[in-house]
Amino acid sequence: MSGVSDLERWKLKRLIKSLEAARGSGTSMISLAIPPKQQISQVVSMLTEEFGTASNIKSRVNRQSVLSAITSAQHRLKLYSRTPPNGLVVYCGTILTDDGKEKLVNIDFEPFKPVSTKLYLCDSRFHLDPLAGLLEDNTKFGFIVIDGKGSLYGQLSGNTRETLHQFSVELPKKHGRGGQSSMRFGRIRLEKRQNYVRKVAEKATQLFITNNAINVTGLILAGSAEFKEELEKSDVFDPRLRSKVIQLVDVAYGGENGFSEAITLSRKYLDNVKVVQEQELVTKFFDEIARNTGKISYGIDDIISALEDGAVETLIVWENLVAWRVEFQDAEGTKTVRFLRSEQEQECVNAVDKVTGAQLEVVSKEPLVDWLAEAYTNFGTSLEIIGDSAPEATAFINGFGGIGGLLRWKREEFDIQESDLEDYFDENDPDDEYAEFF
């Protein structure tokens, strides 16, 4: 990843996803958010009062659960002599597992950005608004892709691209007749072009200005003709938006394809936007394949082997990869580890040693992505967790299973053959832009 904050952001997204699914019985789940300027002692006093109030709950089961959660929260706060610089978030309570059993959850951490909301709630679920606010990326870029067939308005933030609006237009073409007809058709054509540019400008104001303030950091104007220049110079184009134009980009297409091309061509202006970084990273992976350097690896087993050899310089993993790291133990206490894809998960049931045939017990099981996020530094590699917004990332996910690595050297035992790639790329598919490499 490009920095610790990217990894922390991903971990927070995973945490939110798991907490969202958690449910408890009664009101035994505590959500606590402490802003940086609030004193720990104040919160401890508040919890002491809440403990006294909760002691009067009539339901014995609910009373015990709430008191247990408050006690757990108090114990977590004792670990802190003062409020951390970015504040503190605490989640405590008894949740119900998928098999109906109760499980005590205690989570406390200082987030990577300051907490802006003070919160204390006791409910049957965790309240995650303070965490969701931390994931908001204020760096947003607007895109207008305009040509003679229509316009598209898009937005890019982090690794998320969004099409805000799109419309088509039919403009009269240049007329070949001479005389007065030529002048009349010329005036009609010019008037329709001006009306079209006006419509584009007015829609841009509606989309990129909210409550009289610009809602994007910068604006990219893209197109295959001179319309983008006309729009920028037009008197009807809001001067506030004109001041935010950071680049005019020539693209070969309109619509969604033009949007993708505009993002790629604007990369030096959008260095901090994650989707561009993902495009460049995965393109580098494909370039290594095209040049047949042998310095790439893919697939869980080969990646783990390359990691253990210290050969992986950059590890690329799809954030939604469904795979597991499972630790087994036999009757004599000998432990083994297997890495399983979702379709292999059944191997956890009635697992046996492949050599001795002895019965194995599952000791631990965790998502492979989570394990890699904690263990990657042990292998001397950098970790890039990617989304699927960029077309290049989608090709990587579909073609290579969502996990691959750029290697420091060629590993002889891992040699890609053309036949290995036939299932991934179709040279007869006009939409497969990477088929030409092979």
Side-chain angles (χ1 to χ4, degrees), residues 26 200 243 245 285 382 401:
V200 174
S243 68
V245 174
F285 181 88
S382 63

Side-chain angles (χ1 to χ4, degrees), residues 128-195:
L128 306 170
D129 292 346
L131 299 187
L134 297 175
L135 290 176
E136 292 181 358
D137 191 341
N138 296 325
T139 305
K140 298 178 181 178
F141 291 91
F143 284 77
I144 301 176
V145 183
I146 176 175
D147 61 14
K149 296 181 180 179
S151 293
L152 177 144
Y153 303 82
Q155 181 175 281
L156 182 67
S157 178
N159 66 345
T160 302
R161 51 177 279 177
E162 178 184 4
T163 299
L164 304 175
H165 184 72
Q166 189 172 6
F167 70 90
S168 57
V169 67
E170 291 186 7
L171 297 175
K173 298 180 180 180
K174 290 184 178 181
H175 205 279
R177 296 179 183 177
Q180 294 182 349
S181 294
S182 176
M183 296 176 61
R184 181 167 62 86
F185 280 113
R187 286 195 301 270
I188 294 174
R189 179 174 177 271
L190 180 60
E191 182 180 346
K192 287 187 176 294
R193 286 174 65 95
Q194 291 174 341
N195 290 338

Side-chain angles (χ1 to χ4, degrees), residues 282 285 297-300 303 315-323 341 368-369 372 383-387 392-405 424:
V282 178
F285 181 88
S297 180
Y298 63 89
I300 294 176
I303 282 293
L315 177 61
I316 309 170
V317 183
W318 179 35
E319 62 184 358
N320 293 323
L321 177 69
V322 181
R341 282 196 169 275
L368 177 59
V369 186
L372 288 171
L383 175 64
E384 296 284 347
I385 297 180
I386 66 172
E392 293 86 351
T394 302
F396 173 79
I397 294 163
N398 294 336
F400 296 91
I403 183 168
Y424 298 142

Side-chain angles (χ1 to χ4, degrees), residues 82 135 167 216 290 293 327 370-371 399:
R82 66 187 66 178
L135 290 176
F167 70 90
V216 291
T293 64
E327 187 174 2
D370 290 9
W371 178 76

